[in-house]
Amino acid sequence: MISVRDAQNHILAQVTERTPPELCALTDALSRVLAEPVGAPFDVPPTDNSAVDGYAVAGDDVPAHGTCELLVVADLPAGAVFAGALARGQAIRIMTGAPMPAGADTVYPQEVVEREHDRVTVGAIARAANVRMRGEDVRSGSTVVEAGAVLRPQELGLIASLGLATVVVTQRPRVALLSTGDEVAEPGSPRKPGQIYDANRFTLRGLCEQSGARVLDLGIVPDQREVLRERLLEAAEAADVVITSGGVSVGVYDLVKAVLAEIGGIDFWQVAMQPGRPLAVGRIGRTHFFGLPGNPVASMLTFLLFVRPALFTLAGRRRVFPEPWHARAAEPMAKKRGRREFKRGVARFADGAWTVRTTGPQGSGILSSMVTGNCLIVLEEDRGDVAPGETVVIEPLGAPE
Ligand code: AMP
Ligand code: MG
């Protein structure tokens, strides 16, 4: 038996390479991983500018008490630059975003002034009010997005604000997916007696795509040694990572181990976890191989724990494990010491705290528990039964950042 943590460490130690960088249009870069840091070539905003529609004035002209009258000498729409400088007793009509005219350091919102013809009457105001300062968002020369960051909408906008239309990202890892087993039938085609429809290739495909990988679907492989061997060699040729599900337990037809031992190298682990004990990890040439268990919950879970961090690492992501959250157990939970258990949970925020209950029966074939649940409840190795009210770790199910 090997612990979840040791299995993860072994796997990540094997992933020493990174997918190569490529240039990507900013418009196509959502969810991609930055290969090089993005630095700011200038301050953003590039000049002090007005935060409101109103009147720009010199702070020295502002009355400490009462009011005074200023002469409006120009009208400055956004994008226009005032050529001269503001003299004493003058104001400039200014629009949001327009650069501050020379000599002005304060802006009155238009709602707080009285305008009559070319004059405004103004009252007291704090100096520098309603001015956005040059560089207050980004300083010239600073790193705005680090290498290894995943590009979310806000990163895309910030990079665009620097005038950049392309970014250097890592290539998406290529994953070849296969299901194994004579009992597995293709959805959309008739099912023979004794067969079940393939679920794993669809959950795993979704998980791979959510994790930033491109998927090559190699279908269902029957439990025949030669066919499996050919298909695995083909998969390894085309992909950075090959994932199979099924055929790694100790049944008579569990060929994955035997074939891998022939065409590559394989470690076969019993991981101290529930569900999802058997896991095969190996190589076919330069390609990483993961043989996941056939039970649908176990194959999803082992993907999340062992394959996703590897895909993230390949793609150069800085963070490869999700941030844990905490919740109070809303019900008792049975737990065996000595292994890590992952229950599907429904977490809710109620009365000022997160609470979590299980989705009900937790068998590793009950895929609907992943649909009903919105999180995994992670019960650590050294923990026994959980009583209601105890704090537990939860990990949200869904696309991680
Ligand atoms: P195995 O690891 O091949 O012994 O499979 C364990 C269990 O998972 C068996 O009940 C299989 O029928 C089931 N199973 C295997 N592959 C799939 C699949 N692709 N989709 C759904 N269930 C599967
Ligand atoms: Mg099988």
Side-chain angles (χ1 to χ4, degrees), residues 254-396:
D254 295 353
L255 300 166
V256 170
K257 283 178 278 181
V259 169
L260 249 290
E262 255 174 54
I263 62 174
I266 188 147
D267 277 321
F268 182 67
W269 296 336
Q270 291 290 335
V271 185
M273 62 184 277
Q274 172 67 32
R277 262 178 20 170
L279 177 72
V281 177
R283 281 189 166 257
I284 308 169
R286 296 160 58 88
T287 302
H288 300 276
F289 173 82
F290 293 93
L292 306 185
N295 278 311
V297 174
S299 74
M300 260 192 100
L301 192 60
T302 48
F303 178 95
L304 292 171
L305 290 172
F306 306 114
V307 185
R308 187 171 65 182
L311 291 177
F312 284 174
T313 302
L314 263 178
R317 277 175 72 141
R318 242 180 335 168
R319 281 193 37 212
V320 301
F321 293 113
E323 213 55 62
W325 297 27
H326 287 100
R328 287 240 168 82
E331 62 184 36
M333 296 174 195
K335 165 68 174 59
K336 258 196 204 140
R337 275 185 215 278
R339 66 185 190 188
R340 188 170 286 223
E341 293 188 16
F342 297 86
K343 300 186 188 292
R344 276 70 67 210
V346 180
R348 268 217 190 82
F349 191 76
D351 302 327
W354 282 97
T355 60
V356 66
R357 62 175 175 82
T358 66
T359 53
Q362 295 287 308
S364 62
I366 301 179
L367 187 53
S368 57
S369 67
M370 284 282 190
V371 174
T372 322
N374 63 6
C375 67
L376 294 172
I377 306 167
V378 185
L379 303 177
E380 301 83 352
E381 287 80 352
D382 55 4
R383 188 156 199 169
D385 291 344
V386 176
E390 284 184 28
T391 299
V392 294
V393 169
I394 59 172
E395 281 175 15

Side-chain angles (χ1 to χ4, degrees), residues 212-256:
R214 284 174 291 171
V215 172
L216 177 67
D217 186 343
L218 295 182
I220 302 165
V221 196
D223 288 322
Q224 290 167 28
R225 197 173 176 126
E226 277 316 302
V227 183
L228 183 59
R229 184 192 154 96
E230 286 316 304
R231 215 66 87 72
L232 284 176
L233 286 170
E234 180 196 340
E237 192 66 36
D240 304 306
V241 175
V242 175
I243 303 173
T244 64
S245 71
V248 292
S249 56
V250 285
V252 189
Y253 294 105
D254 295 353
L255 300 166
V256 170

Side-chain angles (χ1 to χ4, degrees), residues 92-315:
I92 286 178
R93 169 109 176 104
I94 193 166
M95 292 295 142
T96 306
M100 290 295 286
D105 61 6
T106 304
V107 180
Y108 283 96
Q110 61 190 20
E111 308 81 56
V112 306
V113 307
E114 300 273 348
R115 171 131 190 200
E116 207 165 327
H117 306 296
D118 58 355
R119 304 208 154 252
V120 280
T121 305
V122 300
I125 193 171
R127 189 181 278 249
N130 303 308
V131 177
R132 302 191 286 221
M133 295 301 174
R134 168 182 178 159
E136 74 173 19
D137 188 359
V138 174
R139 283 256 163 241
S140 177
S142 66
T143 297
V144 290
V145 190
E146 306 271 359
V150 180
L151 298 175
R152 300 169 299 172
Q154 50 269 51
E155 276 83 18
L156 299 179
L158 193 58
I159 292 168
S161 76
L162 303 174
L164 304 173
T166 57
V167 276
V168 181
V169 295
T170 57
Q171 286 180 21
R172 298 170 63 183
R174 295 162 305 167
V175 176
L177 268 184
L178 303 109
S179 292
T180 70
D182 289 336
E183 81 281 27
V184 182
E186 184 68 34
S189 58
R191 178 171 60 110
K192 295 192 201 102
Q195 281 196 313
I196 53 161
Y197 280 118
D198 191 352
N200 295 346
R201 230 165 75 246
F202 297 83
T203 47
L204 291 172
R205 184 192 187 101
L207 288 166
C208 285
E209 288 179 349
Q210 249 181 11
S211 308
R214 284 174 291 171
V215 172
L216 177 67
D217 186 343
L218 295 182
I220 302 165
V221 196
D223 288 322
Q224 290 167 28
R225 197 173 176 126
E226 277 316 302
V227 183
L228 183 59
R229 184 192 154 96
E230 286 316 304
R231 215 66 87 72
L232 284 176
L233 286 170
E234 180 196 340
E237 192 66 36
D240 304 306
V241 175
V242 175
I243 303 173
T244 64
S245 71
V248 292
S249 56
V250 285
V252 189
Y253 294 105
D254 295 353
L255 300 166
V256 170
K257 283 178 278 181
V259 169
L260 249 290
E262 255 174 54
I263 62 174
I266 188 147
D267 277 321
F268 182 67
W269 296 336
Q270 291 290 335
V271 185
M273 62 184 277
Q274 172 67 32
R277 262 178 20 170
L279 177 72
V281 177
R283 281 189 166 257
I284 308 169
R286 296 160 58 88
T287 302
H288 300 276
F289 173 82
F290 293 93
L292 306 185
N295 278 311
V297 174
S299 74
M300 260 192 100
L301 192 60
T302 48
F303 178 95
L304 292 171
L305 290 172
F306 306 114
V307 185
R308 187 171 65 182
L311 291 177
F312 284 174
T313 302
L314 263 178

